[in-house]
Structure formats: structure tokens, C-alpha cells
Amino acid sequence: MSVYPIHNQDSQASYKKLIRPSLLSILGLVISACTNIVPSATNAQIQPVPIAPKVALVLGGGGAKGFAHVGVIKALEESGITPTLVVGTSVGSLVGSLYASGYTPQQLEQLALTTLDSELTDFVLSNQGFIEGIKLRNFINAKVGGRTIEDFPISFAAIAAEKDTLQKIVFTTGDAGLAVQASCSVPNIFIAPRIPEKVGKKYVDGGVVSLVPVDSARDLGADIIIAVDVTVPTSSKKNMTSNLLPAITSLSSFWGLLENNLTSNIASNNISSNTTYSGTNHRSSMRNERGRADIVITPDVGHISSLDTSQRSALITAGTQATTPQINAIKKLIREKSNSKYVTL
């Protein structure tokens, strides 16, 4: 054991007394320096940072022509444009729900080309319609892994109409398959589902009240709306036949039923016996709604059928071809909206 002389301890005490004031002085200098730095840091923090705008992709109804929606999505994604919100009516809700749930454009295209009508159509004998719609509901729920709408990576909304009042309904939560079933339930063809099941109100195809649901997307907070309308006729032949019942050859086609009978019901006002309805005024109103979008994409699909796989491919291509020329305008709009929205850190 070492023993230190007493005078060494005294020397150490004296040394501590000498350095204590020096430490206090240094601490004071540090505090002063930090105080002087604060204004510079504050100035850096208040620099505005642009916020990405909320971009909505609105997919309209149109039955068989809805395969073009896949081509639109494909062109947007290839250009680095991914919406933060997808809103769909009828077939637009079908394609939109799959896309919002995480399907890539390639997966959507493969599904579009390989899905059989029999996977979606369940015929029944009923005075309410002759397609039950359960197969469609189960198909969607299986493809999205049983997730509810609120669990999708991209926000999603399906548009339907309350059967008796024709009040527009926007489904943003709950059973994805049931919401799509309601949105696709063409009056007098599909049996209108109840939401909640068995005890709720009955709902029919959203195309009856909002064929291209631009206003719903705006109500959900969209800053930029890209709307897709696949119902614009492109030939006189299409104009002459658009209000006729489907041909016998398409009665077994899920897509053909969606396409032809929705137009027939709107034109004939054959929606609800309890509702006064003006078809002409309503069609005008829906055209005006479409016009409120920032970008409107109208694939040239009036002359194309989807009764075979090759035609489905042509519809997808038409969607891509209609979107590509709009890409620069969309990107410019996104930049402009980003520059007009800032957050202060």
C-alpha cells in the first residue's frame, strides 16, 4: 500500500481551486457561443419546403371499355406518376380497388387478360335481377387478400347509389368486395346488395348518379384530379346502338352486361319506381362533373369490343395511347401545385 505525504494532498487542493474559475469561464463562453448560433439555426428552419399535392385518379364506369383503365394506370406508373387516391365507379371501382390494394400494372394486365366471365357472373332467377353479385364480391376480396378498404396502401373510394332515393354514396371503409359489388350493380340486371348485409339499404351502380366521380375525389381532398372517361362514343355506329339491349351473344358476358345495360337504364329512366328522374338533365350534369377534372383522359375505345382476349388487349393499349400525350401536362401540374403548397419546419 502506498502512502502519500500530506503536502501532496495540499498541493492537489490548491490546484483544484486554481482550475475551478477557469472551467466556469469556459462554460460561460460556450453558453454565449450557443446563444449567438440560435438565430442562424432558426433562420434555416423557417425555409419553406414544398409539399407533394394529393393526386387522385378517377376511373369512370363503362363496363367492357373499363379494360382501358389498366392501360391508363400502366402509362402513369411508367412515367413515375402514382396517385395518392383512387376513386372508381362501376368497372372503375373494380379496377381501382385492385390497383389501390397494391397490384402493379403488369399484374393488373395479366388479370384482365386471363379472368373468365364465369369467375364474376352468378346467374339466378329473381324478379330483382338475374346476376346475384356474390361471385364478384368474393373475387375482389380474394384478390385483395381479405383486407378492408382502409388497409389499402393507396386511399380508395367506390361510388354507388342508394336504390330508392338515388343518393350518391361514397364507400371509403369496410368490405372492399361488397363496396365494389354495390358500385357495379347495374339496375334490373344485378340484384342490389344491402349494406350492411341483410339489414342495410340497397345500393346500385354508381354510374347512375356519377359516371366519372370527379366531385367525390375533390370532396376527399384531391389537389389534382386525373379523370378517365371510357364512354365517349367515337363512331356513328356506336351512337346508334348505345341505347339498345345487348345482343344475344353478349348475354353471358359480365363486361357486356355492365357496358350495355347501364346505358340502357339511364336512357330509359328505368332506375327506380319511387324516384322522379330526368335522363337528359342527368347526362348533362355528369358531363359537367367530368369537366371539373384537371386532366381528362378519353381512350378511343368506342369501336372496340372485349368479347375475346385480343380485344381486351386492344382496350388496354388504347388506354396507354390516350394517356401518354398527357404525361407532360400532368407532371407540370404536379410541379405547379407542389410549388404553391409549403410547410415551414
Side-chain angles (χ1 to χ4, degrees):
M1 183 177 68
S2 301
V3 179
Y4 294 98
I6 293 177
H7 70 272
N8 284 346
Q9 294 177 359
D10 292 338
S11 298
Q12 291 175 1
S14 299
Y15 178 74
K16 289 178 180 179
K17 289 179 180 180
L18 289 172
I19 67 170
R20 187 176 295 119
S22 299
L23 291 175
L24 291 174
S25 299
I26 293 171
L27 181 60
L29 291 172
V30 171
I31 293 174
S32 177
C34 290
T35 303
N36 292 330
I37 291 174
V38 169
S40 298
T42 302
N43 289 335
Q45 289 177 351
I46 63 174
Q47 294 299 316
V49 176
I51 301 176
K54 188 172 185 178
V55 179
L57 177 61
V58 174
L59 304 177
K65 311 305 183 188
F67 285 102
H69 290 321
V70 177
V72 172
I73 292 169
K74 188 176 180 180
L76 291 174
E77 286 282 355
E78 288 177 351
S79 300
I81 300 170
T82 300
T84 51
L85 169 67
V86 177
V87 183
T89 286
S90 195
V91 68
S93 75
L94 192 160
V95 175
S97 66
L98 296 173
Y99 178 45
S101 75
Y103 276 69
T104 66
Q106 292 71 29
Q107 290 172 326
L108 285 175
E109 184 171 18
Q110 181 65 19
L111 201 59
L113 295 177
T114 59
T115 299
L116 302 175
D117 287 337
S118 59
E119 297 180 64
L120 304 172
T121 311
D122 42 8
F123 290 99
V124 295
L125 292 175
S126 171
N127 58 6
Q128 300 178 53
F130 56 85
I131 295 181
E132 191 170 13
I134 302 300
K135 273 193 173 183
L136 172 60
R137 180 201 309 180
N138 292 341
F139 175 86
I140 293 296
N141 282 333
K143 296 302 179 183
V144 304
R147 288 173 294 168
T148 56
I149 293 174
E150 57 267 38
D151 291 330
F152 289 176
I154 298 176
S155 298
F156 172 68
I159 308 301
E162 200 277 309
K163 182 180 179 182
D164 293 325
T165 65
L166 293 187
Q167 178 183 358
K168 181 177 70 174
I169 302 297
V170 182
F171 293 108
T172 58
T173 61
D175 188 315
L178 186 57
V180 171
Q181 178 189 358
S183 185
C184 291
S185 291
V186 178
N188 305 315
I189 302 300
F190 290 75
I191 297 176
R194 291 183 182 272
I195 302 177
E197 289 187 78
K198 298 181 180 180
V199 297
K201 295 180 179 179
K202 291 183 177 181
Y203 294 93
V204 297
D205 195 303
V208 171
V209 293
S210 184
L211 191 61
V212 185
V214 171
D215 292 343
S216 297
R218 195 75 72 187
D219 292 341
L220 291 170
D223 299 305
I224 297 172
I225 297 177
I226 305 167
V228 186
D229 185 358
V230 297
T231 65
V232 178
T234 55
S235 70
S236 58
K237 181 179 179 181
K238 174 64 180 178
N239 285 328
M240 290 186 296
T241 61
S242 61
N243 293 337
L244 300 178
L245 289 175
I248 296 298
T249 55
S250 67
L251 282 177
S252 62
S253 167
F254 173 84
W255 310 103
L257 290 169
L258 278 184
E259 178 182 358
N260 293 296
N261 283 280
L262 176 58
T263 306
S264 298
N265 277 288
I266 292 176
S268 64
N269 301 344
N270 191 18
I271 304 296
S272 171
S273 58
N274 299 326
T275 305
T276 302
Y277 179 76
S278 171
T280 301
N281 291 338
H282 191 61
R283 286 194 297 275
S284 176
S285 175
M286 287 195 286
R287 284 196 298 270
N288 291 336
E289 180 179 13
R290 188 197 74 169
R292 288 190 282 274
D294 298 287
I295 300 288
V296 179
I297 299 172
T298 55
D300 184 9
V301 295
H303 61 291
I304 305 175
S305 172
S306 65
L307 298 182
D308 59 64
T309 302
S310 64
Q311 291 300 299
R312 293 185 184 187
S313 181
L315 287 163
I316 294 171
T317 298
T320 300
Q321 291 174 340
T323 306
T324 301
Q326 302 264 35
I327 293 298
N328 288 336
I330 295 171
K331 287 185 174 181
K332 180 181 178 182
L333 191 57
I334 291 174
R335 287 195 301 269
E336 291 174 350
K337 291 287 185 178
S338 296
N339 291 334
S340 66
K341 298 185 69 176
Y342 291 95
V343 60
T344 300
L345 297 179

